[in-house]
């Protein structure tokens, strides 16, 4: 059995997060988490940062909200601090000014979308967005700099300096090889995409990596209709050491492939459901709602 060294949220933290204690609805918290993680990914791409740093930043970002409330901190501020901290942890540091400039651009773009969201989707609306760079010694820069420093400090403090992150990509490659799916390029790319999308959800702060990887593989199997069984094992009987019989599962070849990877059937489906919820249809009002709550001031 694989030993898990990754810190995970406790049952009490999962049942009632700090944000929900402060009266923030669960669906709004989920949307803010997803939008904040997406901003980290967008900032990382614009900074030409490594994917390992972006993924680590998103995991730290998700963990933070099990210790702190969205009422006290903004997702843009904590996301900026998480990306800056993760860049150091993964030994691919970026300049503080570059991170600040990129987040200034993203905040301006979100504000533009907020003002024009009725004209279409975010990607369509922001196509006409024009960025106005801040001056080199502007007060905006110094305000964002102070915000970034405080956010990094709060991340370290709230997470008790336990910032170790285990990413799922190497595990995915191993599991796909065991299931003879490694040669299927489309299946591998799809599973990789699900793991990246899962970074927008809290699953990396709640479930161990093997369960999340199995959920991604399950979604690939279902959507691509691959011939790999994904039904729970059927009940039967087994003979114990003393000669008695007792209820037991009757495994068939690969019928319970997730058990090879120490993942439970229920947890795997729960994670798959959380990931699929990201793709649900949204109204324009639901799509723009997170952009109104990006910073603490808002």
């Amino acid at each position: 059995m694989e030993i898990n060294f990754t810190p995970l949220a406790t049952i009490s933290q999962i049942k009632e997060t700090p944000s929900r204690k402060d009266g923030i609805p669960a669906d709004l918290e989920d949307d803010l988490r997803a939008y904040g993680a997406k901003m980290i990914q967008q900032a990382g791409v614009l900074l030409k940062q490594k994917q390992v740093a972006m993924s680590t930043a998103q995991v730290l970002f998700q963990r933070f909200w099990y210790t702190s409330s969205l009422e006290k901190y903004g997702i843009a501020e904590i996301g900026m601090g998480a990306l800056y901290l993760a860049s150091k942890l993964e030994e691919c540091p970026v300049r503080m000014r570059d991170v600040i400039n990129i987040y200034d651009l993203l905040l301006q773009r979100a504000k533009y979308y907020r003002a024009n969201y009725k004209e279409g989707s975010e990607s369509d609306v922001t196509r006409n967005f024009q960025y106005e760079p801040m001056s080199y010694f502007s007060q905006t820069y110094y305000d964002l700099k102070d915000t970034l420093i405080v956010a990094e400090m709060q991340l370290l403090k709230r997470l008790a300096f336990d910032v170790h992150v285990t990413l799922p990509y190497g595990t995915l490659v191993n599991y796909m090889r065991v299931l003879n799916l490694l040669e299927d390029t489309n299946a591998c790319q799809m599973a990789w995409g699900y793991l990246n999308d899962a970074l927008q959800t809290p699953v990396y702060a709640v479930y161990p990596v093997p369960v999340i990887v199995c959920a991604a593989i399950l979604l690939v199997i279902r959507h691509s209709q691959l011939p790999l069984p994904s039904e729970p094992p059927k009940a039967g009987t087994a003979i114990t050491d003393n000669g008695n019989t007792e209820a037991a599962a009757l495994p068939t070849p690969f019928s319970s492939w997730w058990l090879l990877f120490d993942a439970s059937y229920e947890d795997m489906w729960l994670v798959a459901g959380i990931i699929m919820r990201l793709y649900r249809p949204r109204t324009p009002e639901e799509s723009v709602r997170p952009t109104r709550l990006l910073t603490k001031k808002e």
Side-chain angles (χ1 to χ4, degrees):
M1 181 176 180
E2 183 176 340
I3 300 176
N4 179 42
F5 294 104
T6 304
L8 300 176
T10 64
I11 297 297
S12 60
Q13 288 175 321
I14 296 170
K15 285 183 177 179
E16 189 176 29
T17 64
S19 299
R20 291 181 201 169
K21 288 181 180 178
D22 287 336
I24 296 176
D27 60 334
L28 178 58
E29 180 180 359
D30 291 342
D31 287 347
L32 288 171
R33 282 172 175 259
Y35 198 89
K38 187 167 70 172
M39 287 185 73
I40 292 174
Q41 184 71 24
Q42 292 172 340
V45 171
L46 292 172
L47 287 166
K48 298 182 179 179
Q49 183 57 282
K50 295 180 180 178
Q51 180 61 44
V52 64
M54 291 185 276
S55 299
T56 298
Q58 290 175 82
V59 174
L60 296 177
F61 175 82
Q62 297 291 352
R63 286 183 192 168
F64 180 81
W65 302 117
Y66 282 112
T67 64
S68 304
S69 173
L70 286 159
E71 187 178 60
K72 297 180 176 63
Y73 303 96
I75 56 173
E77 298 155 354
I78 298 303
M80 183 166 54
L83 181 58
Y84 187 64
L85 174 59
S87 299
K88 297 178 184 178
L89 295 174
E90 300 300 334
E91 299 182 357
C92 46
V94 292
R95 293 173 64 237
M96 183 179 291
R97 181 174 286 275
D98 291 341
V99 176
I100 291 172
N101 285 336
I102 292 298
Y103 261 87
D104 181 54
L105 181 151
L106 294 177
L107 289 170
Q108 285 191 34
R109 189 165 67 180
K111 184 178 180 180
Y112 179 85
Y113 171 59
R114 190 164 64 236
N116 303 278
Y117 73 95
K118 293 183 179 180
E119 298 179 9
S121 65
E122 184 173 4
S123 58
D124 292 336
V125 171
T126 54
R127 193 171 297 160
N128 298 321
F129 165 71
Q130 295 292 327
Y131 174 53
E132 297 181 6
M134 69 180 86
S135 63
Y136 196 84
F137 296 108
S138 70
Q139 187 60 42
T140 301
Y141 168 75
Y142 290 107
D143 291 343
L144 286 174
K145 181 180 179 181
D146 291 342
T147 298
L148 171 56
I149 294 171
V150 171
E152 182 185 22
M153 179 184 67
Q154 287 296 332
L155 277 159
L156 291 169
K157 176 184 174 182
R158 299 287 178 174
L159 298 179
F161 284 80
D162 192 351
V163 289
H164 172 70
V165 173
T166 301
L167 297 177
Y169 307 112
T171 303
L172 173 66
V173 172
N174 291 333
Y175 288 8
M176 297 293 270
R177 180 180 291 112
V178 170
L179 298 173
N180 295 323
L181 294 175
L182 197 59
E183 301 303 321
D184 189 334
T185 304
N186 184 59
C188 291
Q189 290 178 343
M190 190 179 296
W192 200 283
Y194 283 131
L195 292 180
N196 283 337
D197 289 348
L199 292 165
Q200 299 179 36
T201 73
V203 295
Y204 286 96
V206 177
Y207 294 96
V209 166
V211 174
I212 302 169
V213 173
C214 286
I217 295 174
L218 174 69
L219 291 173
V220 172
I221 292 171
R222 290 285 173 155
H223 290 169
S224 300
Q225 298 182 345
L226 297 177
L228 188 63
S230 52
E231 297 296 334
K234 298 178 180 179
T237 58
I239 300 176
T240 61
D241 293 337
N242 58 14
N244 298 324
T245 59
E246 61 179 18
L250 292 177
T252 56
F254 271 174
S255 64
S256 304
W257 54 268
W258 52 88
L259 297 179
L260 296 172
F261 312 125
D262 297 321
S264 74
Y265 184 79
E266 293 78 12
D267 286 349
M268 180 178 63
W269 274 100
L270 280 172
V271 173
I274 293 172
I275 296 173
M276 289 305 299
R277 191 171 181 273
L278 290 170
Y279 313 128
R280 71 189 187 280
R282 287 183 173 88
T283 64
E285 187 62 36
E286 289 174 332
S287 298
V288 78
R289 184 171 60 165
T291 66
R292 299 187 176 119
L293 301 166
L294 295 180
T295 64
K296 184 179 178 181
K297 294 179 181 179
E298 295 174 327

